[in-house]
Amino acid sequence: MTPSRFQDGANARRRFGDQLDRLAPFLLRVDPLADAVVASFAAMPSGQGFRLLETALTRGIEAVPDAPPELRALFAAVDHVPVWVDWEAVSRGGTAFLRTGVIGGMLLAMQSLILGYASPGGNKPLALSGRLREQAGRRLAETGRFVHAVSQAGGMRRFGEGFAITVKVRIMHAQVRRLAHASGRWQTALWGEPVNQHDMIATALLFSVALLEGLDKLGYHVSPEQREDLVHLWRYVAHVIGVEGELIPGSYAEARRLAEMIFATQGAPDADSRALVDALLTHAARSAPNERERRRAEQRAALFAGVARTVLGEELAEQLGLPRTSARLAVPLVRALAAASSRAHALPSLQDFALDLGDRYWQRAIAFGLGGRPADFAPPERFASSRT
């Protein structure tokens, strides 16, 4: 039975035909390898399984003689590099993203994350986990660290930081599935499985196709070759994070069509969508240490809301409850900055400088967002009891 969140309307059917019939079942498919690892960890003392995982990531599965067979099976899969992986394309894709610097960072939050929150089914694991408002800033910083790490040169190589974080996120997803079902609040008939295959590939598309669309709307030019490279990077990230090969697009054109198909069938944003967006926009002001910082945070939030309205479109912005602010008048300046940056980044003499500048932006932004607390990407042991 197809979960009711899948909106197979007449317009979507005319456009995508029986591809919809092949996409819908992935809402009920998950990641048996990772789920088996989490089940084996649950039988161990608290934290022991995650320590075994970290050892396997840093030293190889051979360095874990007491590894459970489930963990060995997972590493047999992630240690295998598919023949289609082009390491130079992976590196170029990450470099192209890092050069976007502050523009890319703004779009990561105001385009990619918000589009993820807009899914009334895909947002449910996060909504049910609790503490929406308190964790908004932390989620943004951890997402930034993940995206930054996979984009680094060599980041997705076997012992790169991006690879390690990707595997940890895969295990985190499996634990969220376990907790969601254990909570007694999960409605499979309505939402599908928690963190299912459909939603995992949707996330990879948010960090590639959706980001590229946001850059287009702000006037930041990305060449066709760079688009393919960024999609290739996230194709490999999707593979490592546990997405089935059949579902992973092999080109920008395929990725864009799949993203459009997912968006056309997901339904309108719901109350959880609006709560998540509100938390994203207001977390900095709510946690500001003084009145001056609070005003600055509110000014940034107003600008970000204006950018979000520009890249998401007015209809979706209204459905998400994005505020209308006078800061929208500053959006043309953001566009001018984006266009000027892309022209500068196209000059060979400035490309290394732009990469260094973008990388330093991400390091500062992540450090500020984490507030001195490390992001270890350990799987949660429980859901919070509150959803506020």
Side-chain angles (χ1 to χ4, degrees):
M1 180 183 71
T2 300
S4 58
R5 64 175 275 194
F6 193 76
Q7 303 292 300
D8 185 359
N11 289 337
R13 179 61 58 171
R14 280 194 297 270
R15 184 172 182 189
F16 300 107
D18 67 354
Q19 278 187 284
L20 299 181
D21 302 322
R22 287 173 271 149
L23 175 64
F26 285 99
L27 287 162
L28 296 170
R29 297 176 70 92
V30 286
D31 181 0
L33 284 176
D35 290 343
V37 169
V38 164
S40 71
F41 285 180
M44 302 177 185
S46 177
Q48 180 179 335
F50 189 68
R51 289 191 291 272
L52 295 179
L53 174 69
E54 288 195 307
T55 300
L57 286 169
T58 56
R59 297 168 54 195
I61 190 64
E62 300 81 7
V64 191
D66 53 344
E70 295 85 356
L71 189 62
R72 293 187 181 278
L74 175 70
F75 274 86
V78 298
D79 283 345
H80 173 72
V81 180
V83 69
W84 50 259
V85 173
D86 179 344
W87 290 118
E88 291 186 2
V90 168
S91 180
R92 290 194 304 266
T95 295
F97 168 72
L98 291 175
R99 285 197 188 112
T100 65
V102 65
I103 300 298
M106 195 178 300
L107 288 172
L108 179 72
M110 295 299 109
Q111 169 93 344
S112 299
L113 283 184
I114 288 183
L115 282 175
Y117 296 163
S119 170
N123 67 24
K124 286 299 168 287
L126 185 56
L128 290 178
S129 68
R131 300 195 187 102
L132 298 186
R133 291 188 177 276
E134 290 81 356
Q135 294 180 353
R138 182 76 179 179
R139 285 197 306 272
L140 177 58
E142 290 179 347
T143 300
R145 180 150 187 258
F146 170 45
V147 173
H148 176 256
V150 305
S151 300
Q152 291 288 309
M156 284 304 296
R157 292 281 190 168
R158 172 57 182 86
F159 294 99
E161 183 183 33
F163 181 94
I165 291 176
T166 302
V167 175
K168 289 179 182 180
V169 171
R170 182 173 182 174
I171 295 302
M172 186 186 301
H173 286 168
Q175 177 68 350
V176 167
R177 282 192 291 273
R178 186 169 179 270
L179 293 175
H181 281 302
S183 73
R185 294 179 287 164
W186 190 260
Q187 301 180 55
T188 302
L190 180 59
W191 303 321
E193 289 293 327
V195 199
N196 55 66
Q197 287 283 323
H198 172 285
D199 292 340
M200 284 194 286
I201 192 58
T203 299
L205 295 171
L206 291 177
F207 296 143
S208 52
V209 172
L211 185 77
L212 289 168
E213 290 181 352
L215 290 169
D216 289 342
K217 290 175 182 178
L218 291 182
Y220 186 102
H221 175 71
V222 182
S223 71
E225 295 79 13
Q226 289 172 324
R227 293 171 192 270
E228 296 295 342
D229 290 339
L230 186 60
V231 166
H232 193 79
L233 164 63
W234 283 96
R235 181 186 183 189
Y236 185 50
V237 174
H239 166 78
V240 175
I241 216 167
V243 181
E244 296 180 27
E246 178 187 348
L247 199 54
I248 304 175
S251 68
Y252 172 71
E254 290 180 9
R256 184 172 182 179
R257 182 173 176 83
L258 180 56
E260 291 171 350
M261 198 186 322
I262 289 172
F263 187 78
T265 55
Q266 74 175 13
D270 63 1
D272 286 326
S273 303
R274 290 182 283 276
L276 286 162
V277 171
D278 179 72
L280 180 65
L281 284 172
T282 62
H283 77 273
R286 285 183 287 100
S287 60
N290 54 57
E291 181 64 18
R292 181 182 179 186
E293 290 301 316
R294 184 186 66 79
R295 287 196 301 268
R296 287 182 175 177
E298 288 176 345
Q299 291 168 352
R300 288 194 300 270
L303 173 61
F304 291 164
V307 171
R309 279 189 167 272
T310 298
V311 296
L312 297 173
E314 290 295 321
E315 181 180 0
L316 182 57
E318 287 296 315
Q319 292 174 336
L320 289 166
L322 278 163
R324 293 180 177 272
T325 71
S326 59
R328 292 185 68 197
L329 300 175
V331 172
L333 296 178
V334 175
R335 279 187 165 134
L337 173 63
S341 297
S342 68
R343 288 193 296 270
H345 298 169
L347 299 174
S349 60
L350 292 180
Q351 289 180 350
D352 288 344
F353 174 75
L355 176 59
D356 181 64
L357 192 65
D359 190 57
R360 281 187 285 168
Y361 156 77
W362 276 106
Q363 291 181 31
R364 289 193 301 269
I366 293 166
F368 177 79
L370 293 177
R373 294 178 297 157
D376 58 9
F377 297 93
E381 294 189 1
R382 64 185 62 85
F383 277 175
S385 59
S386 171
R387 295 181 61 188
T388 60

